[in-house]
Amino acid sequence: MRTRLDACLRAVNEVLLGKEAQVRLALTCLLARGHLLVEDMPGMGKTTLSHTLAKVLGLEFQRIQFTSDLLPGDILGTSVFDKDSGQFVFHPGPIFAELVLADEINRATPKSQSALLEAMEEGQVTIEGATRPLPEPFFVIATQNPVSSGGTFALPESQLDRFLMRVSLGYPARAAEKALLLGESRRDLLTRLEPLLDHDELRTIQAAVGNVRVSDALVDYVLRLVEATRTQPQFAWGLSPRGSLALLAAARAWAFLDGRDYVIPEDVQAVLPNVVGHRLRERADATGHGGGALVQWLLREVPAL
């Protein structure tokens, strides 16, 4: 399985140049059965990352462009009266794909944003009183521009907490951008990609990730990190139990990608910034999420042993 995952990583990295760390984090998030928030400027490759992952992993892909006039029914689907049968027939929305790109999620109203909540948390949606299961696997990648705030609706903490990880792609290195300028179109490369995993293999890998061993000492380290966020004065609030579960799940997936069936403190430290950064805020920061400095404090001050 590790060989197949390495092949997947190589294939994605051949399309999205110079972003090996972010690609690995995105695959970690998927293997941990979480959802991913990508915050970055336009044109950085957010859509390319999503589409490439879908192609390589053999997942059905749908993109939802979030706008101010988007309605929940545009995401979930709706029932339409069929005159031939005399009954209402449900037409599923794009949320029923296996990999869903929620593009510029903060441009939709809170009502439409919340339509994703049950889907992301429960793997199902309730429409017109009927509960409908979503595909398995199911992975949401949401994007937002962290700079342009005009006409946007900031995600509340309760919705940010639904994302297992947050990443930023950032500007490419000079060598990677030169290769991008001189190379083939990313669209042309995408059309030639072939699936490297099937659904059964991916589900088997996700199940194996859940069985990666964690020691009592490792769990105690995670608990010390979580307790520090709840007791130290610079934190506006502490991590919830969902946050601690997310940290452990991501560390398991990171260890699995490293070829191990057990978690070490370095796995926790590797995923910590992307798992907890969007969940924390400095007490003195009344306007935004200053999670970066808090994460560095945790890595520096909370001992692994």
Side-chain angles (χ1 to χ4, degrees):
M1 288 188 292
R2 172 66 193 280
T3 303
R4 305 291 293 277
L5 288 175
D6 285 343
C8 292
L9 288 171
R10 285 195 300 271
V12 178
N13 285 323
E14 287 174 2
V15 177
L16 197 70
L17 300 177
K19 300 300 174 187
E20 291 82 2
Q22 292 89 337
V23 170
R24 183 184 173 104
L25 286 166
L27 186 56
T28 297
C29 188
L30 171 60
L31 296 184
R33 302 177 185 269
H35 303 287
L36 182 67
L37 177 64
V38 185
E39 286 188 347
D40 221 320
M41 301 289 290
M44 292 296 189
K46 300 185 291 291
T47 302
T48 301
L49 171 64
S50 308
H51 205 171
T52 306
L53 278 173
K55 292 278 285 188
V56 168
L57 299 174
L59 302 177
E60 181 191 359
F61 175 78
Q62 285 284 357
R63 175 184 176 185
I64 307 173
Q65 185 65 49
F66 278 63
T67 58
S68 59
D69 59 349
L70 187 76
L71 298 175
D74 298 327
I75 300 171
L76 305 179
T78 188
S79 294
V80 177
F81 184 76
D82 180 58
K83 63 179 181 181
D84 293 332
S85 64
Q87 297 179 336
F88 282 91
V89 178
F90 178 71
H91 292 260
I95 194 66
F96 286 88
E98 293 160 332
L99 195 157
V100 177
L101 173 62
D103 209 6
E104 295 188 283
I105 188 174
N106 57 333
R107 295 203 173 275
T109 63
K111 184 175 183 179
S112 295
Q113 291 174 6
S114 65
L116 282 175
L117 288 180
E118 183 189 5
M120 292 169 60
E121 186 70 15
E122 304 294 339
Q124 63 184 30
V125 294
T126 302
I127 305 169
E128 299 170 354
T131 299
R132 303 177 187 273
L134 292 168
E136 178 65 33
F138 176 67
F139 185 40
V140 173
I141 299 179
T143 75
Q144 60 180 8
N145 183 343
V147 176
S148 176
S149 58
T152 64
F153 301 86
L155 297 178
E157 282 70 25
S158 61
Q159 192 158 340
L160 282 171
D161 199 42
R162 260 61 178 192
F163 291 98
L164 183 82
M165 285 183 167
R166 180 183 64 177
V167 301
S168 175
L169 296 178
Y171 293 110
R174 181 184 179 91
E177 191 160 9
K178 184 176 181 179
L180 177 66
L181 294 174
L182 295 176
E184 289 186 75
S185 163
R186 301 301 100 178
R187 289 185 179 180
D188 292 340
L189 290 175
L190 276 170
T191 60
R192 297 203 299 270
L193 283 177
E194 296 292 336
L196 299 177
L197 288 177
D198 60 35
H199 288 62
D200 289 339
E201 290 172 323
L202 182 54
R203 285 193 290 264
T204 298
I205 291 172
Q206 287 180 322
V209 165
N211 292 326
V212 170
R213 292 180 288 113
V214 293
S215 65
D216 285 347
L218 192 284
V219 173
D220 287 340
Y221 175 46
V222 171
L223 291 175
R224 285 196 299 274
L225 289 166
V226 172
E227 185 178 10
T229 69
R230 299 172 182 174
T231 58
Q232 296 302 310
Q234 64 267 45
F235 293 85
W237 53 73
L239 288 173
S240 68
R242 182 190 285 134
S244 57
L245 288 169
L247 183 56
L248 197 57
R252 277 188 161 116
W254 188 269
F256 189 88
L257 283 176
D258 239 10
R260 283 178 283 104
D261 64 352
Y262 58 92
V263 180
I264 59 177
E266 286 78 6
D267 299 322
V268 177
Q269 294 160 2
V271 300
L272 182 71
N274 302 95
V275 174
V276 308
H278 61 292
R279 291 179 161 92
L280 299 176
R281 197 183 81 184
E282 292 187 69
R283 188 177 297 275
D285 181 9
T287 58
H289 295 270
L294 295 175
V295 168
Q296 293 307 312
W297 184 92
L298 289 170
L299 290 171
R300 185 177 63 252
E301 299 296 333
V302 180
L305 297 175

